[in-house]
Structures are given as structure tokens and as C-alpha cells.
């Protein structure tokens, strides 16, 4: 409670300072962190006050708060007391309040409702410099900066009501659509009726008279014509449409100065009433019905002369709108407007309000809550008229320069919103016509459509340039803007706009139709992104339990791990200014300081900044000489170690300037890519050429150098390295013998490659390099081929491109040393013995996916290596280990995450049999990957294998100098799954929750459980995180990201679904198998009788029988009925054209009918033809009345008498017998003789 009070007080004074009011004192600043208040409070605090001051003008536009608020006054007193405590500490000579004094001071004043943990976290956030004290200036600065950054973040992350792209809807309209409306459904509940817009249909009407009905999802139901039998020269233009939803009818107006009412009940479209006798052409109409009494309704319409007509129906359901209709169902009643105005029709009253406007009436609306109506026109003096139906109340005019084109009314807020030719949106009080309440700017063309979205308190406006803007009525700011370029509706302006508040669907129309909608199905398919640009780094902060991430757009975000919500973000963290314009600079690396209270970031331009990431305050900044890219930063013992493409290690004093910078001696010959630190005083750096140098952190002295392409032993200096290389050259023959014994036949060089000239440079031999791919297709883990060094992409000779020569092994090692030796990350195993010869305490990874374990002992060196990439050519770009160094988690450039059990890998400490079996059972219980990969296998003797490589690992051979026959060994792979579809840049592990955090090039940061369960992506909420982490059972629904659901392999999907295939996957497999079997059978049938293969009896039984219906079920051949072709509507102004017509495949009749049935059909057909020939031509039956037919028979006698034919049964029997005989002998059924006999 105290937090919310103090927060609102701080925001109030901040707004007063912005608007120019005098701030009371320094004690009025809020000192409670904004992160502990709700976002709604932040939005509401900005409120209408800031909107009025920004968008309105005049002396009354600014609202002055003079009301007495006791809660605010009490909060101000508490902050005055808190400021007095800080000032008292300052007067005593103390630098500030310690953590205990800080907790006591806040409990006495504003933080009396906070726990000790919350107060300690707040103290650590404010005390970013870690001096152990907090003064008043630090406290107020922290709160002000946090409020500023959170306000900007809320503005950037504000929910967008519509998507950024429109969806085109094909229609039958060929001319301008004059009206799009929602026809609501009327539900009767007890004694009251309710309008349901969620199930209501859309109705579109075009100028040529075509009216279409659509479902709520904009699927065409039917199309009709209002004037079907009109000539083109006399066909009128349709002007407007009104939905008479209480009687299931539609009213259509035209340029014939009439209104036609159609009955649409029971899917009909019948003309019922024709209202004529209107003086001028109708331009707009509006209808309203009373839901308490459907008999009472109001119809309003305006014309081109500026007049407004009002028709009030009192017995709409009892006797029809304009009375009963006599005659047939297709009959209609013609009504004259003069009769309606004079009251000649029972239950109908008409009123004419002449010359309300000087020009056409552009829009009219009835407001039932006010019992008044409003109309507007494009005139300055009579822009908008507001009055009642009976003219009993005082009416008023709203005057706007150049008039108004559109308006809308919001009954919830009781405001009118108008738009016109002056590009401005005005919000009016219906009772005050002197001046608008708020004026919104932003459009650059006349506004012709305005709609109020009452459920969200938003204003939707459309101008003649087809630009769409959404304004918030709460703070009068533009929430979303859609450019007219994305609205592909032709060159003309939008003629009609319709918004359904229930489904939040916006329909735009010219002669075409497009919609803007955020449906639930689309939101499920939309990918969740954490940043708008690729994420370069993501780190977990154990002190504040948050995740800090950075992207290439120089945006730093802080996320709550428990919920996935964004706490704060600040943009343009690193930037350059060119010609007064700020451009963001990509953040390449970042790390935390020793106490994990500050963030240190490095950018591509060589700049380094120190941040208080809880409020976005930059505490320190310095630039590295040369301005080259920063690749790694380490902070320890009040020193900041920075390295990068400069090939040097720079040391800065934490809090010091450029004058305290020191450099270590240059030991690297190539760009440094990574750096790591191990207590107490060991540093390690890795470069692009594979060198790993071990440094003394205190003195900068190099202990040793490690390089897998130079040997397995550490080198103490350069001379030692040269001697070792010379010794290796002398022992070349022995190495060749070892190669032949250790390598498989596919990895050996052929004799033909030895003829390649060695004098030609390596770069001249490279003909084509094709390493990158555009996307990631669906992978198949089971069919993966290994790539040998003989078909390496860089091993292309100068000769013919179609027949490249294979390279020898020495050239392969040279290529790997030149291009694939980069060390991209270094990890220290802190729990292992650092001084033991047979224990590896340093792990490196990099190009080609090789992970190598090194011992820092002077006789140690390379103890083990294995390839952790998922496929050939991929690299392991990031890795991390847990605190106990039991698991090594690697991430490659293909987006795969692999978890390795390294407790027995390259170490002198091993498990006993009982410990290994216990550990094995723990792994089986935790990882579903282990359960289906090691199904039916025994417990291995050890967790490190010399020859058994995991089945889903593809690799090339390691360099020969690494002695693969000794060092190539594989740890136990306990988990493997695909986490992203693109490269993973960083990976982090949360030890207390056993959670993996991955940041990828696909702009997403995802959180995974150690066993492979997907928790969520930052940017969405995680309601079941605790159940997933504790493996809460089968009731927890497994979640799989949409992109992985599309491209993930069977192994990945099985890991993400906790080892159990989902029901959708089972059904998909069954459908695929059935379709493949049917395709195979159809191919076999077409092959002929001679080529018929042997059928599988088991498969045939499965296809012929059903598990549900039993063996009695037999398959039937069913043919799909073609879809009904829409009825062609012929109008004088349009022609419907079809691109193509649907058809079905023809079926062979021999397969459907037997021979006996065909013979019987032929016999009947031939017999029918013979009977028709014998009877002669038949007269057509006349459709004339009977009396006319009798009259014609009496008056009109035939000129030539026709003798009456009498049948002879004996001849028919003879003809049938002869016909049977001819069919048996395969003779034609008719001949010349038969025809002559039939004629006689």
C-alpha cells in the first residue's frame, strides 16, 4: 500500500514539474523503485493531464489539481522525514546510510510494509558503486532514472491492436463499395433482447447494386442484386445501407430518391417495401431498435439538400414496418413518403427537418442514451448538428473550419469524436459546442472515417491517403500507425470502414476488401521474439534473480526469470552521432562485475560502458585505443580486463579513467576472441589461430601457450615452440606411420594427391567456398553421412572444376590450421585439481565443433577431445558448466544444445561400481533422451569412451598432431535437442533452478529445463514454470515452439515432449503411412497383371479391416462431390469471370460395373431407341391454359390428316428377338433392313 501511494506521489510531482508548476520541495520526490508498482499505475499517472497539455491549447487546456488528497499529503510527510534522516547523516560527516540504517529509515517512513529481502535488494540496486552506503542524491537519482526508462519501455511495448499487414478478401463486387456493416444477431433472454456482434454477419453493398453476406470470419455466404431487371442506362447508383435487425430486414437507398426494404429472413432476399416520394437523393442512413421493446425503432436518413428525415416505428413486429402486405409472398408494398409524414400509416410517424445543413449530409447517428441525434456536413457554419427527434430540446451547432466528413459517439465516456478536412481529430462534449476538449494531431490528409473502440478506449481514424492511426483516449497518444502503403486497395480512397467491437476486426473497402484482425489462431502462430534484432548475449544475475540481454540494435533488457516479464530496458546503450542523428552501435560482449551489481558492456566501435542495469544509469565510460571490436570483458578484484581485435589485453581500474590504463605484453599474433578467469590469479585468452595463453592476472606474465595444431604439450615460450615444431618435422616419418594405424580408411590420403605441387600457395588452390546456408531445412538424424577430409569444401585444386583432385592429409591439416583453428570460448573447471597432470581443468571450443580438455600442469597438455557439433561444418560457439563441473552444456551454430556428463572425463577421480550405477539411475530418471537412447543397454563400465561416438554426431578427423589415437574420446551424451533454428550466441546455466538460458540469432531468448523441457521465451509469460521444473506429472501440457514444431527432428520433438510422442504426432504418422500405402497400391495397379508385386498380407488386413468396427468393415470407394459453383449474377454494369472450374477425375466404368450389367443396360438403351423410332416424333406439351388449348383445337384444324398408328405386338416381339440375336453375334443393332421394316 505504501509503495503504491509513494509511487503515485512521485509521478504527480514529476508531471507537475514538466507542466511548469512549482515543485513543493525535494522531499516530494518518490524514493520507492518503480519496478514494484503495476504498469497500470504508470499509464494512469500520465493520464489526461499530460494529454491536455500536449494536444490542446488555450488557458483552460491545462488542468490544475487543487483538490485535497490526504493520502498524498501523508506520503509527502513520510518523504520529508526520510530526507531529514539522510540530511542528518550528511551533517554528521557520514557518506550516507549503511544497509542497516537504510532499512531502519525506510521502515519508519515509506517502506514500512516491505520485507527485509526487498529492502536489501533495493539497497543493492541503489548502491551500484558498492561502497556500502547510500546518500540522498543516489536514492533520488535512481528513482528518477528508473521512472524514465520504465516509461519509455511501456511506450515501446504498448500493445498494438492490429497487425502490420492487411489480409485481402476476394469478393464479387466490381464497383465502389458504399457500405460495409455488421448485421448483429438478436438473442432473446427472458424479457429482454441482447445484440450479439460476435456471431453477427457482415454485409457489403456496392454502387452497382450487388449485396454480399459474409460470416464473422469474412467467408462469403451468398450474393444478391438489389435491382436485377434494370437496364444499364436507367440503373441507379446505390448510396447507403441500413440493417433493420429487429425485423430481419435491410434498407437500401439509391439515386432514384427511394428506399427499398428487403426481407432476409431464412436466407431469403425478397423485396417487401418500396418507399418513394423523397425530395432529394439520400446520402446516409442510420437505424436503431429498442432492445427492451423491439416494436420501437428509429430510422434516420439525410439527403443532398441538407435535410434530415426521421421515421419512428411503434409496431414494427406486429404489423410490419409500413403495414401488412397483401398478395403472394413475392409481393411488396409501395409507400409514399408524403403519407408517412402526414401520419396516414398506423404505428409509423415521420418528421422532416429541412435545411439543417448547407451541403450534403455526410453522416448521421442516433444517440439513444441522450435521446438525440447528430448529423454532420462539409460546411463551416453548420459542421455538426446535435438535437432531439421532436425538437423539444435545445439544439446546437458545432462549427469547424471547412466542415466535417465523419464523427462517432462513445456512450461510455459521453464524448463525440470528429474528423474533417483540416487533418485534426477533435473530441467534444455533446453539451459544449464552443471548444473541443482535446485535439489530436498526426494525419497529413483529410480524415474521412472515425470509429471509437469503446472496449479499449481507443480512436481509430482513416484519412484519404489510406493511413490508419489508433489513438488512446486515456492519454491521447498514438498507439499504432499503419502507413497507406500496406493497404493495397487501389489508388482511390477508402470508401467504407466497419469495425466489429466484439471480434476487434476492422474491414476496409474500396472496390476491394481487406481486413485487419488479430485472431487467436494468428497469435498462436506468431513467433515470440525477445528483441527486434539478433541477440548477442544473455546473462543470469544470481543477486537480483534476473536475466540481462543485449542485441545488435544496442538495446539492453532486464527480464524476470520467474515470470518472463520485462522489468526494464534502455535503448541506444552504445551509439554514435553523425550530423546530429544518433545511430546505435552493436553490443558484442558483456559481463557483470564481481558483486554482480553492475553491467559492463563492450561494443563494435571499441567503447566500454559500466551500467546500473536496474535503472539504466551509465556510471563509467571509456574507449579502447584503436576503436576495434571488443570481444571479451572480465571484471575481478576492482579491475576490468578488456580484449578484442586489438590482440592486446587492456586493464582499467574500476572507477578510474584513461590515465590508469595498462597493457600486457603482446603475445598473440591474431585477434583475441575470448577470455576467462579462474581464482585465485589465472587468466586465459584464446585467439583466432588457436593459441590459448595462460596469464598471471597480477603480473601479466605468460605461464604457457596451448595450441592443438602445434602439439599436445604446453609451450612455455616461443623458442620452445619452434624447437618442438622442428622436432616434429624430424619425426615426420614416425608420425606418418601412426597416422596410417590410427585413421580409418576413409580418412587416409590417396597416392594421387601427392602429385600436387607444394610451391603453390594455399589460397590459390581454393576454388570455391560454400559453407553458409540460407536456412535450416528439416533434418533427419538417422540418415547423416560423415564427410571425410578428401571432400572438404576448401580442398579444390586449380584444374577442372568438374573433376577436383583429392588433397593429401598434410594439406587438410594446413587448411584446418589456417581457417578452422579459432577458439571461441574458454571455460575453467574450478572444482578440479589444477596441478594434477592427468586432470583437465580448462576446456576450449570453437571451429568445426571440437571441444578440447587441457591440463595446466607443465607435463599435462591436451588430455581429451571430441566433436560436439550436430553436423559436419558446424561450430560450437558457446558452452557452460555447472558449479560442480558434472555437466558440460554446449551450443552449436545449427541451434542444437547438448549436455555431456564429464564427471569421469579426463580426470584422475573415477566412480566406484556402486557410485556409477547410482549415477546412471539418476541420469535415466532425469533425462528422457537417455531413456530412449540407452533402452535395453547395460550400465557402461565408465562414462568416457574411446571409440563409441554418439549416433547423432557428424565430424571430420582431428589434426594428426593432436594424437587422436590417444586423445580422441567421447564423454557420455545425456541430452541433445534443437533449441533454435539459427546460431546460438550465448548459453548460461542457473544452478539453483537447473535451467538453461539460450540466446540466438533468431532474436529470441529461451529458457529450458535441464532435461529438455521448454519453459518459455522471454517476451511471453510462463504460467507453469514451477510444474515444468519439478516435472509435475502428465497433467502438465508440454509446450513446443512453433518454429521447432515445423523443422524439429523426431528426436528433438521427443525430448521436448518428455519422451512421449504427442497425439498429433501419432495421428500424423498414421495418415502419412496410409497415404503412402495407397499411392503404392495405385502404382502397382497401373503396372499391369504381369508386373503385379506380391502384396503384404498384414498390410492388406490393416487396410481392409478396422480396429473399431471389426473385421466386418470394408473399405468403400467414395468420390468427392465437386463444390458448388457460385451463381453467375448478370448486372448491367459488371461481368463475373472465372479463372478456372473445378473438376473430378473420371473413373473407369469397367471397374464399377460387371459385364452382365453392361449388357442389360445396352439392351434397354437399344430397345428404347427402337420404340421411339416406331412411335415417331412426339409433340411438346404446351404450357398454355387449358381453355386456350381447346380453342386452338377447335379453330385450327390440321391441313394434312395424320393417320393414327396402331401398334402390332407381334412385330415388337420379332424385333426384340432379332436384337437379342445380333447382340449375341456382336453385330450392329440397326441396319438398313431394320430401318425399312420399322418404316413400313
Amino acid at each position: 500500500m505504501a509503495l503504491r501511494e509513494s509511487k503515485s506521489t512521485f509521478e504527480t510531482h514529476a508531471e507537475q514539474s514538466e507542466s511548469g508548476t512549482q515543485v513543493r520541495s525535494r522531499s516530494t520526490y518518490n524514493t520507492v523503485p518503480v519496478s514494484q508498482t503495476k504498469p497500470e499505475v504508470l499509464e494512469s499517472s500520465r493520464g489526461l493531464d499530460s494529454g491536455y497539455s500536449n494536444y490542446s491549447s488555450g488557458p483552460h487546456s491545462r488542468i490544475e489539481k487543487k483538490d485535497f488528497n490526504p493520502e498524498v499529503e501523508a506520503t509527502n510527510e513520510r518523504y520529508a522525514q526520510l530526507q531529514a534522516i539522510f540530511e542528518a547523516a550528511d551533517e554528521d560527516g557520514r557518506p550516507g546510510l549503511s544497509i542497516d540504517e537504510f532499512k531502519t529509515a525506510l521502515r519508519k517512513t515509506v517502506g514500512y510494509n516491505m520485507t527485509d529481502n526487498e529492502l536489501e535488494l533495493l539497497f543493492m540496486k541503489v548502491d551500484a558503486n558498492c561502497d556500502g552506503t547510500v546518500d540522498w542524491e543516489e536514492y533520488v537519482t535512481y528513482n528518477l532514472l528508473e521512472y524514465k526508462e520504465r516509461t519509455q519501455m511501456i511506450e515501446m511495448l504498448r500493445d498494438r491492436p492490429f497487425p502490420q499487414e492487411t489480409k485481402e478478401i476476394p469478393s464479387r463486387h466490381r464497383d465502389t463499395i458504399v457500405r460495409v456493416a455488421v448485421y448483429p444477431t438478436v438473442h432473446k433472454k427472458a424479457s429482454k433482447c441482447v445484440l450479439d456482434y460476435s456471431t453477427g454477419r457482415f454485409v457489403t453493398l456496392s454502387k452497382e447494386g450487388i449485396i454480399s453476406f459474409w460470416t464473422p470470419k469474412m467467408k462469403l455466404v451468398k450474393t444478391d442484386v438489389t435491382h436485377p431487371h434494370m437496364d444499364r442506362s436507367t440503373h441507379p447508383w446505390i448510396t447507403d445501407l441500413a440493417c433493420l435487425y429487429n425485423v430481419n430486414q435491410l434498407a437500401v437507398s439509391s439515386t432514384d430518391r427511394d428506399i427499398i426494404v428487403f426481407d432476409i429472413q431464412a436466407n431469403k432476399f425478397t423485396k417487401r417495401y418500396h418507399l418513394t416520394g423523397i425530395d432529394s437523393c439520400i446520402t446516409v442512413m442510420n437505424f436503431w431498435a429498442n432492445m427492451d421493446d423491439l416494436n420501437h425503432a428509429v430510422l434516420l436518413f439525410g439527403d443532398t439538400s441538407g435535410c434530415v428525415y426521421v421515421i419512428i416505428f411503434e409496431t414494427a413486429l406486429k404489423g410490419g414496418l409500413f403495414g401488412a402486405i397483401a398478395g403472394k409472398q413475392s409481393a411488396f408494398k409501395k409507400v409514399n413518403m408524403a403519407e408517412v409524414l402526414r401520419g396516414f400509416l398506423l404505428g409509423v410517424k415521420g418528421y422532416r427537418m429541412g435545411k439543417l445543413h448547407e451541403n450534403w449530409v455526410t453522416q448521421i447517428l442516433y444517440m439513444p442514451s441522450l435521446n438525440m441525434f447528430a448529423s454532420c456536413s462539409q460546411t463551416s457554419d453548420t459542421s455538426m448538428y446535435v438535437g432531439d427527434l421532436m425538437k423539444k430540446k435545445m439544439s446546437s451547432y458545432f462549427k469547424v473550419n471547412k466542415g466535417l466528413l465523419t464523427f462517432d459517439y462513445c456512450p461510455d465516456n459521453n464524448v463525440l469524436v470528429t474528423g474533417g478536412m483540416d487533418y485534426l481529430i477533435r473530441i467534444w462534449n455533446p453539451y459544449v459546442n464552443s471548444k473541443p476538449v482535446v485535439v489530436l494531431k498526426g494525419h497529413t490528409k483529410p480524415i474521412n472515417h472515425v470509429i471509437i473502440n469503446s472496449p479499449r478506449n481507443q480512436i481509430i481514424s482513416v484519412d484519404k491517403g489510406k493511413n490508419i492511426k489508433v489513438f488512446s483516449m486515456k492519454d491521447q497518444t498514438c498507439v499504432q500507425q499503419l502507413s497507406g502503403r500496406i493497404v493495397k486497395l487501389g489508388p482511390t480512397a477508402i470508401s467504407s470502414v466497419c469495425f466489429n467491437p466484439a471480434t476487434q476486426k476492422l474491414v476496409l473497402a474500396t472496390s476491394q476488401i481487406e481486413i485487419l484482425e488479430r485472431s487467436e489462431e494468428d497469435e498462436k502462430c506468431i513467433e515470440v521474439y525477445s528483441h527486434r534484432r539478433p541477440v548477442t548475449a544473455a546473462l543470469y544475475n544470481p543477486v537480483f534473480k534476473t536475466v540481462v540481454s543485449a542485441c545488435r540494435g544496442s538495446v539492453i533488457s532486464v527480464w524476470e526469470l520467474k515470470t518472463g516479464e520485462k522489468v526494464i530496458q534502455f535503448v541506444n546503450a552504445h551509439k554514435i552521432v553523425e550530423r546530429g542523428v544518433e545511430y546505435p552501435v552493436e553490443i558484442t560482449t558483456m559481463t557483470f562485475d564481481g558483486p554482480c551489481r553492475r553491467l559492463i558492456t563492450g561494443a563494435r566501435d571499441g567503447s566500454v560502458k559500466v551500467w546500473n542495469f536496474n535503472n539504466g544509469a551509465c556510471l563509467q565510460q571509456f574507449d579502447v585505443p584503436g576503436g576495434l571490436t571488443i570481444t571479451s570483458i572480465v571484471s575481478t578484484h576492482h579491475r576490468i580486463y578488456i580484449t578484442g581485435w586489438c590482440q592486446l589485453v587492456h586493464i582499467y581500474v574500476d572507477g578510474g579513467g584513461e590515465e590508469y590504463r595498462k597493457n600486457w605484453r603482446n603475445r598473440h599474433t591474431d585477434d583475441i576472441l575470448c577470455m576467462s578467469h579462474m581464482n585465485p590469479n589465472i587468466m586465459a585468452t584464446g585467439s583466432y589461430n588457436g593459441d590459448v595463453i595462460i596469464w598471471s592476472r597480477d603480473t601479466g606474465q605468460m605461464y604457457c601457450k596451448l595450441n592443438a595444431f602445434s602439439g599436445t604439450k604446453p609451450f612455455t615460450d616461443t623458442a620452445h615452440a619452434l624447437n618442438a615444431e622442428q622436432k616434429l618435422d624430424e619425426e615426420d616419418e614416425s608420425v606418418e606411420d601412426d597416422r596410417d594405424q590410427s585413421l580409418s580408411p576413409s580418412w587416409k590420403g590417396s597416392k594421387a594427391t601427392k602429385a600436387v605441387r607444394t610451391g603453390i600457395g594455399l589460397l590459390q588452390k581454393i576454388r570455391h567456398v560454400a559453407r553458409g546456408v540460407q536456412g535450416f531445412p528439416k533434418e533427419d538424424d538417422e540418415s547423416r553421412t560423415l564427410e571425410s577430409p578428401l571432400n572438404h569444401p576448401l580442398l579444390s585444386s586449380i584444374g577442372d572444376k568438374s573433376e577436383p583432385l583429392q588433397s593429401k592429409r598434410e594439406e587438410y591439416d594446413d587448411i584446418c590450421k589456417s581457417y578452422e583453428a579459432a577458439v571461441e570460448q574458454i571455460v575453467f573447471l574450478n572444482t578440479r585439481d589444477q596441478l594434477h597432470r592427468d586432470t583437465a581443468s580448462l576446456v576450449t571450443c570453437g571451429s568445426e565443433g571440437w571441444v578440447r580438455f587441457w591440463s595446466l600442469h607443465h607435463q599435462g597438455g591436451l588430455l581429451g577431445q571430441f566433436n560436439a557439433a550436430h553436423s559436419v561444418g558446424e561450430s560450437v560457439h558457446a558452452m557452460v558448466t555447472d558449479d560442480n563441473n558434472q555437466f558440460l552444456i554446449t551450443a552449436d551454430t545449427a541451434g542444437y544444445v547438448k549436455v555431456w556428463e564429464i564427471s569421469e572425463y579426463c580426470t584422475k577421480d573415477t566412480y566406484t561400481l556402486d557410485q556409477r550405477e547410482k549415477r546412471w539411475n539418476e541420469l535415466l530418471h532425469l533425462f528422457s533422451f537417455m531413456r530412449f537412447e540407452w533402452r535395453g543397454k547395460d550400465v557402461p563400465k565408465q562414462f568416457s569412451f574411446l571409440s563409441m561416438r554418439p549416433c547423432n554426431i557428424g565430424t571430420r578427423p582431428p589434426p594428426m598432431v593432436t594424437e587422436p589415437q590417444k586423445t580422441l574420446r567421447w564423454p557420455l551424451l545425456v541430452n541433445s535437442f534443437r533449441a533454435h533454428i539459427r546460431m546460438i550466441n550465448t548459453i548460461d546455466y542457473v544452478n539453483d533452478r537447473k535451467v538453461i538460458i539460450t540466446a540466438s540469432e533468431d532474436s529470441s531468448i529461451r529458457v529450458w529445463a535441464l532435461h529438455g523441457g521448454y519453459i518459455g521465451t522471454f517476451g511471453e509469460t510462463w504460467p507453469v514454470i514451477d510444474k515444468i521444473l519439478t516435472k509435475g506429472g502428465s497433467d502438465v501440457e508440454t509446450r513446443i515452439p512453433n518454429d521447432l514444431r515445423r523443422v524439429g527432428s523426431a528426436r528433438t520433438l521427443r525430448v521436448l515432449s518428455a519422451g512421449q510422442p504427442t497425439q498429433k504426432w501419432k495421428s500424423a504418422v498414421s495418415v502419412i503411412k496410409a497415404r503412402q500405402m495407397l499411392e503404392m497400391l495405385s502404382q502397382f495397379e497401373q503396372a499391369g497383371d504381369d508386373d503385379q508385386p506380391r502384396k503384404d498380407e498384414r498390410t492388406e488386413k490393416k487396410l481392409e479391416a478396422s480396429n473399431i468396427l471389426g473385421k466386418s468393415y470394408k473399405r468403400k470407394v467414395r468420390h468427392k462431390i465437386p463444390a458448388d459453383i457460385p451463381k453467375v449474377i448478370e448486372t448491367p454494369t459488371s461481368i463475373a469471370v472465372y479463372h478456372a472450374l473445378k473438376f473430378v477425375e473420371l473413373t473407369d466404368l469397367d471397374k464399377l460395373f460387371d459385364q452382365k450389367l453392361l449388357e442389360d443396360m445396352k439392351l434397354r438403351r437399344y430397345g428404347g431407341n427402337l420404340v421411339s423410332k416406331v412411335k415417331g416424333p412426339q409433340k411438346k406439351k404446351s404450357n398454355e391454359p387449358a381453355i386456350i388449348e381447346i380453342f386452338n383445337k377447335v379453330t385450327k384444324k390440321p391441313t394434312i390428316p395424320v393417320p393414327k398408328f396402331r401398334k402390332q405386338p407381334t412385330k415388337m416381339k420379332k424385333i426384340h428377338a432379332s436384337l437379342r440375336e445380333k447382340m449375341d453375334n456382336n453385330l450392329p443393332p440397326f441396319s438398313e433392313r431394320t430401318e425399312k421394316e420399322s418404316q413400313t
Side-chain angles (χ1 to χ4, degrees), residues 203-307:
V203 184
T204 58
L205 178 65
S206 55
K207 192 166 59 174
E208 78 270 25
I210 294 180
I211 184 169
S212 299
F213 296 88
W214 310 78
T215 64
K217 295 184 179 180
M218 288 302 294
K219 292 184 179 179
L220 184 62
V221 177
K222 69 171 184 175
T223 303
D224 290 292
V225 180
T226 59
H227 298 74
H229 305 293
M230 296 289 291
D231 187 18
R232 182 183 181 91
S233 58
T234 60
H235 192 283
W237 281 356
I238 308 300
T239 58
D240 203 0
L241 164 77
C243 299
L244 315 181
Y245 44 82
N246 61 331
V247 290
N248 288 327
Q249 293 179 356
L250 282 174
V252 177
S253 62
S254 67
T255 53
D256 284 346
R257 297 179 296 177
D258 61 352
I259 297 177
I260 304 176
V261 180
F262 294 92
D263 185 7
I264 61 172
Q265 190 173 7
N267 208 19
K268 297 184 299 183
F269 192 75
T270 307
K271 184 177 179 180
R272 287 304 182 191
Y273 301 100
H274 191 184
L275 182 62
T276 60
I278 303 173
D279 296 338
S280 301
C281 177
I282 298 174
T283 56
V284 289
M285 292 193 298
N286 181 250
F287 180 80
W288 172 83
N290 190 357
M291 289 294 102
D292 296 332
D293 183 10
L294 294 180
N295 288 299
H296 182 67
V298 178
L299 176 64
L300 301 95
F301 53 90
D303 58 14
T304 55
S305 63
C307 299

Side-chain angles (χ1 to χ4, degrees), residues 698-830:
D698 299 331
T699 62
Q701 179 184 0
M702 185 188 76
Y703 286 148
C704 62
K705 180 188 295 186
L706 308 173
N707 194 323
F709 293 89
S710 300
T712 59
K713 299 299 181 182
F715 303 98
T716 56
D717 52 15
T718 307
H720 190 184
L722 294 175
N723 293 335
E725 292 179 0
Q726 183 178 2
K727 185 178 180 180
L728 288 175
D729 293 337
E730 294 175 356
E731 297 177 357
D732 184 49
E733 296 181 358
S734 61
V735 172
E736 283 290 338
D737 297 338
D738 294 339
R739 287 179 190 166
D740 297 337
Q741 296 177 3
S742 61
L743 293 179
S744 60
S746 63
W747 284 5
K748 295 180 181 179
S750 61
K751 295 181 180 180
T753 60
K754 296 182 180 180
V756 179
R757 294 178 298 170
T758 59
I760 302 176
L762 179 62
L763 294 177
Q764 295 178 354
K765 298 179 184 179
I766 298 174
R767 184 189 63 190
H768 179 65
V769 179
R771 295 289 302 276
V773 292
Q774 293 289 334
F776 293 89
K778 278 188 178 261
E779 72 279 358
D780 187 2
D781 293 333
E782 304 299 333
S783 59
R784 191 182 302 280
T785 58
L786 297 180
E787 188 174 351
S788 67
L790 301 182
N791 56 6
H792 192 281
L794 296 183
L795 290 177
S796 302
S797 54
I798 309 175
D800 188 10
K801 295 183 179 181
S802 60
E803 297 179 358
L805 296 176
Q806 293 181 336
S807 175
K808 53 187 177 180
R809 182 53 192 267
E810 290 84 350
E811 187 178 358
Y812 170 77
D813 288 347
D814 292 340
I815 289 177
C816 292
K817 184 176 181 180
S818 301
Y819 299 101
E820 298 172 356
V823 177
E824 299 187 11
Q825 190 163 358
I826 299 174
V827 172
F828 281 102
L829 305 178
N830 297 318

Side-chain angles (χ1 to χ4, degrees), residues 26 288 377 405 447 529 593 595 622 632-633 645 652 661 690 719 759 892 1011 1027 1039-1040 1082 1110 1153 1176:
R26 288 185 63 189
W288 172 83
S377 176
L405 296 175
I447 302 167
Y529 297 107
D593 63 345
F622 39 84
S632 186
I633 300 175
W645 290 2
Y652 288 85
R661 177 177 58 85
D892 59 16
H1011 55 77
K1027 294 183 180 180
R1039 302 171 60 225
I1040 301 176
S1082 63
F1153 307 104

Side-chain angles (χ1 to χ4, degrees), residues 1115-1129:
R1115 286 185 301 164
K1116 295 181 180 180
V1117 180
R1118 292 185 176 91
H1119 300 277
K1120 293 183 179 180
I1121 301 176
D1124 295 336
I1125 300 176
K1127 181 181 177 182
V1128 179
I1129 299 177

Side-chain angles (χ1 to χ4, degrees), residues 5 70 90 98 156 163 179 342 389 489 578 585 629 658 679 695 763 766 866 870 916 1009 1060 1138 1171 1208 1231:
E5 294 174 356
D90 191 13
S98 63
M156 294 179 62
R179 180 64 64 189
R342 293 176 183 177
L389 301 178
L489 290 176
E578 295 181 357
V585 180
T629 301
E658 182 68 22
N679 290 324
W695 306 81
L763 294 177
I766 298 174
F866 63 94
H870 189 75
R916 187 175 294 107
Q1060 299 295 332
Y1138 295 97
V1171 171
Q1208 298 180 4
S1231 62

Side-chain angles (χ1 to χ4, degrees), residues 161-164 166 443 449 459-471 478-487 489 494 497 506-508 514-516:
F162 299 112
Q164 293 296 327
T166 60
H443 284 279
H449 299 285
I459 300 173
I460 305 170
S461 59
V462 182
D463 61 19
K464 290 190 175 181
K466 294 182 289 188
N467 299 305
I468 304 172
K469 290 181 180 292
V470 182
F471 293 92
C478 184
V479 177
Q480 187 178 12
Q481 178 179 356
L482 300 175
S483 174
R485 298 178 181 177
I486 70 170
V487 182
L489 290 176
I494 296 176
V497 175
L506 183 66
V507 183
L508 312 171
E514 288 188 355
I515 62 172
L516 286 168

